Amino acid sequence: MKNALERIQSLVCGLKLDNSLLYLNHLLSVTRNETKDQYLESSIRKLKIQHIPEFVIYFVAKQLLLHASNLSPYIMDWKEFKHVMDLFFSLNDPIVGDPTWVDSDPTGFLERTLSQQFPLQNRVAIQEIGLALGLFRNNSSLRSSQGYNIKETLERIIGMSVEQFISVGFFCSSATVASYKGYKCRGTITKTYFIKTQYNGLSFCTPKIWQKFIDRVACNRDKFREICARNEYKVEDKRYIQYEFNPLNRFPLIEISSERYLAVDPKLLISRSTLGLFYDLFESDGLKFTNYFGDVVFDRLIGDLLHSVYPPETLWSDSAWKKTVSDKQLNKIGKRGDWAYKGCQHTVLIECKSLRPNLELMTYGTEKSVKKVIERIAEALEQIVEQSKTIQKGKWQQFGLIPYPTICVLITYGRINTANGPFIRKQIIQLLSEKGFTIIPPFVILSLKEFDNVIRLCEIGYSLDEVVSNLTTKDSFDIFRSYQNELSKRAVSSKTYDTANEFLESIAYKEST
């Protein structure tokens, strides 16, 4: 008897690839309330859920690209999709077969499970555009001691300006050329679309530019299958198949016929052409990039966000402070963070690191990968825990940081979903204790997007130390739950929003003459 995975693959083998991908595009649009379809809306309501989980749609799209073809006779409909979705949810996680799971640390299981879900919930296009511009465009003057510049390097890699890459990604995500049973399919484009956009005033959208963009973010069925077969991506143990890397994240545009492309999820195009640029640089320059990125570029963006809500006299910056002291003083003072905010109740110490969950953690959640991420978090926190210790001893008083209760905030590039949960927090405290810290201040780990959410809360009246103090008390995977009402209205900081909005207005269509 076939298992659930074999039944999924057998089922999709009989489906016509292009039309079925169009159906998934339409289904996702309906579940997001972007398109009206009474039959699908009624069918979804019968499931007693608000929407179809995006990660299920991605999984089905991947199975179609791996096993379906355009020679198949049948087209996916609701009945077929629901059947595949039910089979997907019947795939057991490996933890089910582990007799020791009741007494085991569940961090790995939670990380690989939440890695499918939380990033999708936090995807806001204007936030991703604004933050990407802050990181990859607004740093042309920043160079390492060896002359390394991220903007110049990135533009050499992608073959166009950062602005052009983000612009093409945005317009591809907004494109509507094809239709599914009379419904427009957003994110479906032909090369004729690019010609029309150039004619309508988008001078950057030349054949040279959009072809380079397509070469970097699009693939056909055969290339998709080749990527899935790479050793670094495929899982040997099929029990982990639902967590296996999905090339849609790297190549959100699928070539479904000659010179015609479809984005199953147009939002993936925004993510790929904005914050996804990090991985183009990482793939090219590795640690040379990440070390400089975390120490300089990331640090600067966090400072820009802080300065957007607080006057300079309330902030302390390590990069500015280092210019005012001698090398002897630097060596004497010890470890320290990147930023500090002098609040009414607490001093908030901030450390910026280009940490993000790796494939092993998101796919397998192995004990080794969990241990490694905990060690890296503890190592980064050590910088500001040490600074807190010396602040209490009065060593920073001459530099404006008086002995005062402190809170430690680690800001990471990517979201480590379990970082603020009780299991990891306990191990972090243990590691810091083993390094001799008898007093460990309250701490919280925030991704870049989450810190942008915090800045938004500061804009509407909360103080930074009040917010992070509240967040440190939440041994949870959803530490912003108590701010849900405030953030539901707008979760993006004004700094990020204005940066993105100004950019989008500058690339808007102009009336052709």
Side-chain angles (χ1 to χ4, degrees), residues 24-48:
L24 293 180
N25 175 290
H26 175 60
L27 176 59
L28 189 55
S29 181
V30 171
T31 199
R32 288 173 172 164
N33 295 317
E34 297 169 350
T35 301
K36 303 300 292 182
D37 184 325
Q38 291 184 356
Y39 171 74
L40 272 180
E41 290 169 20
S42 174
S43 299
I44 294 170
R45 282 196 299 269
K46 289 177 182 177
L47 298 178
K48 297 182 179 179

Side-chain angles (χ1 to χ4, degrees), residues 223 225-236 244 250-251 283:
K223 183 177 179 181
R225 293 179 177 181
E226 181 271 322
I227 294 167
C228 287
R230 293 179 185 174
N231 289 331
E232 63 266 35
Y233 296 141
K234 68 177 182 180
V235 295
E236 297 296 337
E244 189 178 53
R250 185 68 185 272
F251 300 97
E283 187 177 72

Side-chain angles (χ1 to χ4, degrees), residues 102-142:
V102 175
D103 301 314
S104 301
D105 181 351
T107 300
F109 161 72
L110 292 169
E111 191 62 48
R112 62 178 176 259
T113 302
L114 297 176
S115 290
Q116 289 187 326
Q117 301 170 30
F118 275 165
L120 308 180
Q121 297 170 3
N122 297 332
R123 188 175 288 139
V124 180
I126 202 161
Q127 184 183 50
E128 294 183 333
I129 292 171
L131 293 175
L133 289 168
L135 290 169
F136 304 117
R137 181 192 67 174
N138 300 348
N139 58 66
S140 56
S141 63
L142 299 178

Side-chain angles (χ1 to χ4, degrees), residues 313-498:
E313 61 268 21
T314 64
L315 300 172
W316 172 90
S317 163
D318 179 60
S319 58
W321 172 76
K322 284 191 294 188
K323 296 175 183 178
T324 66
V325 297
S326 64
D327 291 341
K328 184 177 180 181
Q329 284 177 299
L330 280 175
N331 294 329
K332 186 178 180 181
I333 203 72
K335 295 178 180 178
R336 58 203 180 273
D338 296 311
W339 287 91
Y341 164 70
K342 293 172 275 187
C344 296
Q345 302 296 326
H346 300 86
T347 297
V348 180
L349 302 176
I350 299 171
E351 174 71 4
C352 310
K353 287 292 180 185
S354 55
L355 289 172
R356 66 273 170 217
N358 61 25
L359 275 176
E360 184 179 353
L361 181 65
M362 293 188 294
T363 304
Y364 298 105
T366 61
E367 184 178 339
K368 175 185 175 183
S369 63
V370 171
K371 181 181 178 182
K372 184 175 181 179
V373 77
I374 291 173
E375 289 174 345
R376 293 193 68 191
I377 290 173
E379 183 181 358
L381 281 172
E382 186 180 346
Q383 298 286 120
I384 40 183
V385 173
E386 174 68 28
Q387 186 176 19
S388 173
K389 181 179 178 180
T390 52
I391 285 174
Q392 308 313 320
K393 292 181 177 180
K395 292 185 177 181
W396 285 94
Q397 193 155 349
Q398 61 179 311
F399 305 116
L401 298 177
I402 62 174
Y404 216 53
T406 55
I407 301 173
C408 297
V409 178
L410 172 62
I411 305 177
T412 61
Y413 186 74
R415 189 178 195 272
I416 301 167
N417 299 295
T418 55
N420 294 302
F423 307 104
I424 282 188
R425 182 177 289 273
K426 180 180 178 181
Q427 294 180 66
I428 291 170
I429 292 172
Q430 182 178 340
L431 281 176
L432 291 172
S433 298
E434 290 171 356
K435 292 187 176 183
F437 294 103
T438 55
I439 299 176
I440 300 171
F443 63 86
V444 66
I445 295 93
L446 302 174
S447 68
L448 172 59
K449 288 183 182 181
E450 289 173 325
F451 185 71
D452 191 62
N453 299 155
V454 169
I455 295 297
R456 177 58 186 162
L457 290 171
C458 295
E459 291 173 353
I460 62 176
Y462 292 95
S463 67
L464 181 63
D465 53 331
E466 175 189 3
V467 174
V468 295
S469 177
N470 185 30
L471 296 181
T472 61
T473 65
K474 313 293 183 184
D475 279 350
S476 168
F477 308 124
D478 186 12
I479 57 176
F480 284 91
R481 183 176 295 276
S482 60
Y483 296 108
Q484 187 173 359
N485 289 336
E486 293 90 336
L487 294 176
S488 66
K489 298 170 186 175
R490 196 181 100 186
V492 183
S493 73
S494 295
K495 173 71 174 177
T496 301
Y497 181 89
D498 292 343

